[in-house]
Amino acid sequence: MKEKQLLDEFAWQERTVRWERFGSGPALVFLHGTPWSSLLWRPIARALARRFTVYLWDMPGYGSSSKEPSHSVDLGVQSEVFAALLDHWNLTRPHVVAHDFGGAVALRARLLHGAEFASLCLVDVVALTPWGSPFFNLVKEHAAVFEQLPSAVHKGAVEAYINGASHKGLRVDDLEMLVKPWLGEENQTAFYRQIAQADERFTTEIEGELGRITEPVHIIWGVEDTWIPADRARRLNDAIPHASVTLIPEAGHLIQLDAPAALSAELADWMAERHTGTVEARRA
């Protein structure tokens, strides 16, 4: 997977959010999670851009967006940024696909900040407590210590952590793509800061409100996800009863890389149904 810089910028409360738009058709916004960036979604976004206008963006503290140490990067902030970004793009009801804590960001924007979606697809998302891998929780408790690790030790820790999100194991170039944004003094500090600021209160706050979501919702989960086990898919379905669920075998948390063909096909089918619905609604 090749690295590509996002070309456009959005300024929000002294933060710089990098983003990009391409394709043609109804708006489709992708949300990444942690410790990822929009690069993880790019190949699938490119494929869907034949029928949708696709929006990719890096959340503050991630990827190519700003990483100012004094700026909060918690889920509360990210959901506010997302709602503001939708306003900036003048999108009132886009289709949304979210992965990892991008799910919590999208759900908070919908339930707390007035955002509305044409549809919502939740892929191995942070949405229900408890969440966080053992390493994630260890770092959260000792972030100041981890920030001081020698750079080589830090690189090894990040590589091992990211590799653990894949069920099949990552290709060398994919691992490099995912690790590179967290190398260097500023990025090392940013890596541990975003973990330290993770707090389950941001999902607890909305768990009881998930039943208020009326948009079409589809839940996709890797059966072998060890970061956020697949039982969360069923629990999330219980919380959003009208949602549909697909479990993808032989895929871990990094489902985009473990099962790219299966995930792409599932998203293409889901979005094809949404695209047809959009056309029919406009003709009615």
Side-chain angles (χ1 to χ4, degrees), residues 142-170:
H142 306 284
V145 175
F146 279 88
E147 287 179 12
Q148 300 175 51
L149 288 176
S151 59
V153 177
H154 163 70
K155 180 181 179 182
V158 175
E159 287 178 343
Y161 174 56
I162 287 176
N163 251 325
S166 169
H167 173 62
K168 295 184 175 180
L170 297 173

Side-chain angles (χ1 to χ4, degrees), residues 10-23:
F10 169 61
W12 184 85
Q13 295 189 8
E14 300 184 344
R15 296 163 175 83
T16 300
V17 178
R18 302 296 295 269
W19 66 276
E20 185 178 8
R21 171 178 56 209
F22 51 89

Side-chain angles (χ1 to χ4, degrees), residues 105 118 220:
V105 171
I220 302 174

Side-chain angles (χ1 to χ4, degrees), residues 65-77:
S65 289
S66 60
K67 296 185 176 76
E68 168 59 44
S70 64
H71 291 162
S72 296
V73 293
D74 59 56
L75 288 172
V77 167

